[in-house]
């Protein structure tokens, strides 16, 4: 069934057993994003220490794709330097906007490669990107820039 | 004559297509309805044979287009029992019709601080936001009826009072399916001198609606939910009121005379139809009204009541499904919103789509209604004259699949 590409086992696992979920203190920056078409919401907090994202915490209401994406983000970006995080962020956004044409690099994206199938469902790309855009804003509010040109989201 | 759903379905070309390898099961008519061949053909014929601009040419095509456009107005007027076609204003959609009233009536009544506007917690955003903006502009206060756990308007004796100037309530909810018995509200509003708009976007397509019986002052509805095309909606208003109201949009076709020093305005409905209107769309809407009238709105409604009863029973039997809104077909229409325990509506909708079952998921442009029931989103199946019990069964099978994927 076509759905196999979307609901990879890894995604369902992260959805049912999210990593790092729940908002934690202290934090340096926080952002709340909503997907206005469906009402999904997420809040992301970042704390930085010693030149890395020492914690990323989040909470939200949403579908399996957005919630699993937040869990994967936590796994991929926590403990990273801003430069590393920017690179991973860019790779994930490129994968999501690639309409299924981008071959993901497991060394960079880890479990994030499971989202390759999501890129073929335009209605769900926004779900997958919601936590990543909230993270970028939260980081910016903490004074850390994780944007690169490629990670600009075209809505 | 009994209602023959198989024959009705044969009129809808789209119903023969497949989606993701499955026969299309279209359960999203509250969002937009499908169009019968008769409507598609009427619009094509108009564009192929009679296209011209309306009300501004002496030539043959312009004359034909004008009479086609005005014929459509007459059909719509008869369909809802208007006293005269001049009470029918064509707009872009329901949203524009409601904004028209909020703007023009708001100005006509010279609303001010202390005045009140009454809506409800089960409104579509298009019957909330225009009133919020009007209150911001004038200092008037927005108040609303709550919603009971059963999905009915909660009675509130003091809500409509001598401060109330406008009451705007949905006739049938696009989320809960509730058909509101508005007679008490209309009577109370008129008793205190307030005017009433009913949002009939979901009722006019599905049940007999007669503006004389409703006794409201305005109703709004939208062509694409009643077998017609997108791009056309309707405001019905009492002529005496329309005649007193100032224009909404300004420009060509809504004037009496223009000098560089000032302008006087045409009588309704032209006063409220600035610019070139949706002409082919009006023709399509006229054809849709003909189609519904030939079947009979009583018969359409009865078919949907039967489908709704079947669907309520079928979905109640699916473990983990919770229905929002009235649990029995009495006083409700064929729009059924529900939650599936532990599965987000997006995921429900995605799995159903893979099986060719098209439902709407999300907040349905009624966030306060969702909030009232404590959820950010719902899954909604909505029915129409072409819906069959087989399609309800396909929905139930799809929900079993949903639970398998996310179980
Ligand atoms: C109850 C109700 N009111 C208003 C609208 C707005 O209709 P439209 O988008 O055609 O203006 C809708 C449709 O979405 C509706 O269901």
């Amino acid at each position: 069934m076509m759905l196999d590409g979307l609901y990879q086992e890894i995604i369902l696992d992260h959805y049912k057993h999210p990593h790092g979920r729940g908002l934690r203190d202290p934090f340096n920056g926080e952002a709340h994003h909503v997907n206005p078409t469906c009402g999904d919401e997420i809040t992301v907090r970042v704390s930085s220490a010693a030149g890395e994202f020492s914690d990323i915490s989040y909470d939200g209401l949403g579908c399996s794709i957005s919630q699993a994406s937040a869990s994967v983000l936590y796994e991929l970006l926590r403990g990273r330097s801003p430069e590393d995080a920017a690179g991973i962020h860019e790779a994930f956004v490129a994968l999501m906007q690639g309409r299924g044409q981008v071959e993901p690099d497991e060394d960079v994206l880890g479990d994030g490669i499971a989202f390759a199938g999501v890129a073929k469902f335009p209605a769900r790309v926004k779900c997958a990107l919601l936590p990543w855009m909230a993270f970028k804003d939260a980081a910016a509010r903490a004074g850390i820039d994780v944007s690169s040109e490629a990670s600009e989201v075209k809505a | 004559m009994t209602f023959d759903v198989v024959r009705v379905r044969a009129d809808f070309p789209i119903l023969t297509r497949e989606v993701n390898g499955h026969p299309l099961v279209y359960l999203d008519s509250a969002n937009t309805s499908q169009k019968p061949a008769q409507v598609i053909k009427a619009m094509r014929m108009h564009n192929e044979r009679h296209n011209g601009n309306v009300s501004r040419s002496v030539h043959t095509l312009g004359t034909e287009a004008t009479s086609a456009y005005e014929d459509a107005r007459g059909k719509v007027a008869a369909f809802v029992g208007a006293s005269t076609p001049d009470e029918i204003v064509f707009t872009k959609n329901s949203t524009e019709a409601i904004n028209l009233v909020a703007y023009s009536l708001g100005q006509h009544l010279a609303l001010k601080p202390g005045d009140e506007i009454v809506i409800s917690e089960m409104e579509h955003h298009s019957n909330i936001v225009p009133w919020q903006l009007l209150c911001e502009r004038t200092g008037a206060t927005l108040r609303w009826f709550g919603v009971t756990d059963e999905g009915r308007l909660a009675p509130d004796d003091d809500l409509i009072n001598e401060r109330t100037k406008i009451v705007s309530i949905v006739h049938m909810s696009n989320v809960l399916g509730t058909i509101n018995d508005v007679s008490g509200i209309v009577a109370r509003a008129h008793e205190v001198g307030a005017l009433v708009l009913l949002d009939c976007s979901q009722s006019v397509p599905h049940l007999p609606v007669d503006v004389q019986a409703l006794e409201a002052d305005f109703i709004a509805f939208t062509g694409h939910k009643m077998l017609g095309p997108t791009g056309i909606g309707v405001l019905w208003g009492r002529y005496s009121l329309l005649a007193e109201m100032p224009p909404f949009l300004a420009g060509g076709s809504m004037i009496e005379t223009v000098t560089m020093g000032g302008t006087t305005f045409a009588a309704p409905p032209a006063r409220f139809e600035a610019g070139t209107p949706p002409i082919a769309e009006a023709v399509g809407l006229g054809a849709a009204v003909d189609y519904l009238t030939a079947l009979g709105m009583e018969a359409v409604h009865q078919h949907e009541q039967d489908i709704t009863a079947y669907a309520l029973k079928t979905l109640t039997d699916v473990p983990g499904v919770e229905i929002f809104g009235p649990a029995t077909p009495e006083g409700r229409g064929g729009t059924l919103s529900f939650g599936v325990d532990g599965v987000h509506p997006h995921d429900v909708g995605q799995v159903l789509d893979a099986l060719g079952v098209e439902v709407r998921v999300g907040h349905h442009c009624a966030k306060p209604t969702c909030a009232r029931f404590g959820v950010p989103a719902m899954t909604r199946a909505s029915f129409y004259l072409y819906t069959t019990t087989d399609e309800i069964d396909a929905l139930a099978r799809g929900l079993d699949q949903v639970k398998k994927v996310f179980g």
Side-chain angles (χ1 to χ4, degrees):
Chain A
M1 189 166 54
M2 286 185 57
L3 281 180
D4 294 350
L6 183 64
Y7 294 124
Q8 297 274 327
E9 213 42 59
I10 299 177
I11 292 183
L12 292 175
D13 264 0
H14 274 280
Y15 174 52
K16 289 172 191 167
H17 310 287
H19 305 192
R21 191 181 167 94
L23 293 172
R24 290 178 288 278
D25 289 314
F27 61 95
N28 308 98
E30 179 183 272
H32 177 76
H33 277 211
V34 300
N35 181 343
T37 47
C38 60
D40 283 1
E41 304 191 12
I42 193 153
T43 303
V44 174
R45 288 179 178 174
V46 304
S47 31
S48 58
E52 60 174 47
F53 289 108
S54 48
D55 194 16
I56 299 168
S57 68
Y58 64 93
D59 204 0
L61 287 169
C63 64
S64 58
I65 304 296
S66 69
Q67 299 303 299
S69 179
S71 173
V72 167
L73 178 148
Y74 167 84
E75 283 297 332
L76 286 174
L77 301 188
R78 191 185 47 130
R80 299 283 188 156
S81 69
E83 295 74 33
D84 287 356
I88 297 167
H89 196 281
E90 182 182 352
F92 189 80
V93 173
L95 176 64
M96 285 301 96
Q97 295 182 337
R99 298 175 189 280
Q101 305 300 312
V102 173
E103 194 58 47
D105 181 349
E106 184 163 9
D107 292 341
V108 178
L109 286 177
D111 280 0
I113 63 166
F115 285 80
V118 177
K120 293 187 202 126
F121 292 82
R124 305 306 289 279
V125 167
K126 274 195 182 157
C127 307
L129 287 177
L130 186 69
W132 294 76
M133 295 305 128
F135 166 78
K136 195 170 113 178
D137 264 8
R141 283 178 196 158
I144 307 166
D145 187 11
V146 289
S147 68
S148 62
E149 265 127 52
S151 68
E152 282 307 312
V153 170
K154 295 173 223 74
Chain B
M1 197 187 76
T2 56
F3 190 85
D4 184 351
V5 70
V6 176
R7 256 188 60 195
V8 167
R9 288 178 70 83
D11 289 331
F12 290 78
I14 205 169
L15 296 180
T16 59
R17 77 161 272 185
E18 294 194 340
V19 169
N20 295 324
H22 297 268
L24 167 64
V25 174
Y26 187 74
L27 299 179
D28 198 18
S29 291
N31 201 354
T32 198
S33 68
Q34 297 303 344
K35 291 118 195 48
Q38 288 85 338
V39 168
I40 297 166
K41 181 166 171 229
M43 292 178 73
R44 198 182 64 229
M45 289 299 290
H46 179 83
N47 280 320
E48 285 180 2
R49 306 288 305 166
H50 309 292
N51 181 49
N53 209 335
V54 297
S55 314
R56 26 179 111 162
S57 5
V58 295
H59 61 61
T60 301
L61 293 186
T63 309
E64 287 177 8
T66 303
S67 66
Y69 182 67
E70 293 305 327
D71 278 357
R73 194 191 304 282
K75 288 174 185 182
V76 171
F79 190 62
V80 297
S83 311
T84 137
D86 290 341
E87 293 189 329
I88 300 295
V89 178
F90 284 132
T91 61
K92 184 171 66 177
N93 46 32
S94 288
T95 304
E96 188 181 285
I98 297 169
N99 275 274
L100 192 168
V101 175
Y103 183 88
S104 296
L105 187 65
Q107 196 168 327
H108 172 59
L109 297 177
L111 292 188
K112 55 185 188 311
D115 292 342
E116 294 179 358
I117 297 170
V118 171
I119 61 171
S120 88
E121 210 179 2
M122 64 164 83
E123 302 305 321
H124 188 279
H125 294 163
S126 64
N127 198 28
I128 300 175
V129 187
W131 306 114
Q132 289 175 336
L133 294 184
L134 178 59
C135 287
E136 269 173 35
R137 285 196 300 271
T138 60
T141 303
L142 190 64
R143 306 186 65 191
W144 54 87
F145 286 99
V147 172
T148 67
D149 290 344
E150 294 73 39
R152 305 268 174 207
L153 288 180
D156 183 342
D157 288 342
D158 303 325
L159 193 61
I160 299 175
N161 56 54
E162 53 299 326
R163 294 184 300 277
T164 311
K165 300 299 174 216
I166 302 173
V167 177
S168 189
I169 299 283
V170 72
H171 192 201
M172 172 174 150
S173 161
N174 67 310
V175 175
L176 305 169
T178 316
I179 300 172
N180 289 314
D181 176 2
V182 290
S183 54
I185 292 174
V186 173
R188 175 71 184 139
H190 286 165
E191 200 177 283
V192 299
L195 296 168
V196 181
L197 167 65
L198 295 177
D199 176 359
C200 294
S201 305
Q202 297 291 345
S203 58
V204 165
H206 299 282
L207 41 134
V209 168
D210 179 272
V211 294
Q212 312 301 336
L214 280 176
E215 295 189 334
D217 302 290
F218 304 92
I219 75 169
F221 53 104
T222 196
H224 67 96
K225 294 188 202 288
M226 52 186 291
L227 312 183
T230 55
I232 185 155
V234 178
L235 173 68
W236 167 83
R238 284 186 195 289
Y239 192 83
S240 54
L241 273 168
L242 291 175
E244 289 175 350
M245 283 159 49
F248 173 43
L249 301 176
S253 302
M254 49 77 75
I255 55 100
E256 186 179 58
T257 184
V258 180
T259 67
M260 294 316 285
T263 296
T264 55
F265 304 111
R271 182 184 304 165
F272 302 105
E273 294 182 358
T276 299
I279 304 165
E281 288 75 10
V283 170
L285 180 58
V289 163
D290 284 344
Y291 187 90
L292 290 168
T293 305
L295 284 173
M297 287 308 291
E298 278 296 350
V300 168
H301 183 50
Q302 188 53 52
H303 172 72
E304 291 182 38
Q305 289 293 104
D306 296 345
I307 292 290
T308 303
Y310 185 83
L312 283 167
K313 187 178 167 327
T314 306
L315 291 196
T316 308
D317 287 347
V318 180
V321 167
E322 181 199 0
I323 292 170
F324 303 103
T328 60
E330 288 76 46
R332 68 129 61 236
T335 285
L336 231 149
S337 294
F338 55 92
V340 181
D341 192 24
V343 191
H344 190 277
H346 265 190
D347 295 318
V348 175
Q350 192 82 57
V351 175
L352 291 178
D353 177 63
L355 300 168
V357 179
E358 313 289 286
V359 297
R360 182 160 174 198
V361 298
H363 54 59
H364 312 289
C365 299
K367 286 192 100 164
T369 314
C370 290
R372 164 64 184 83
F373 288 91
V375 293
M378 296 176 182
T379 304
R380 179 184 75 185
S382 55
F383 319 134
Y384 209 175
L385 41 77
Y386 37 64
T387 308
T388 65
T389 52
D390 284 352
E391 291 182 307
I392 308 299
D393 293 339
L395 170 63
R397 282 196 305 277
L399 292 175
D400 285 339
Q401 185 66 30
V402 167
K403 289 191 293 181
K404 241 177 244 151
V405 175
F406 290 93

